[in-house]
Amino acid sequence: MSENLHGYYIEDLSVGMSASYAKTVTEADVILFAGISGDDNPIHINEEFAAETLFKGRIVHGMFLAGLISTVLGTRLPGP
């Protein structure tokens, strides 16, 4: 395990600290996540269907977005 994998200890966190992770979500990401998760709801994968919904277009899976939040918590702040 690399020595650079240390993040912050909980007691080192303070109000105002922040961390971020940027990712452009691609068509492939959405389709692959649908395949892995089994969530093939047309709101995620069918533009014609999604265009007729409240969202007016496809939306990314909520659990995909939760995974991106987990990325920040697990790798940035507080980190490993």
Side-chain angles (χ1 to χ4, degrees):
M1 191 172 222
S2 173
E3 294 177 20
N4 296 330
L5 289 180
H6 174 70
Y8 294 94
Y9 293 108
I10 296 298
E11 58 268 15
D12 296 331
L13 299 178
S14 62
V15 173
M17 293 176 82
S18 66
S20 63
Y21 173 76
K23 173 165 182 40
T24 300
V25 178
T26 66
E27 171 84 9
D29 292 328
V30 175
I31 298 303
L32 288 170
F33 189 85
I36 291 167
S37 67
D39 182 353
D40 60 357
N41 185 314
I43 193 73
H44 306 304
I45 60 175
N46 183 314
E47 185 60 43
E48 286 182 23
F49 174 87
E52 299 298 320
T53 69
L54 170 72
F55 301 104
K56 305 297 183 208
R58 296 177 347 163
I59 58 173
V60 175
H61 299 79
M63 287 295 103
F64 185 98
L65 296 176
L68 296 178
I69 293 168
S70 179
T71 296
V72 173
L73 296 175
T75 66
R76 306 291 197 288
L77 187 67

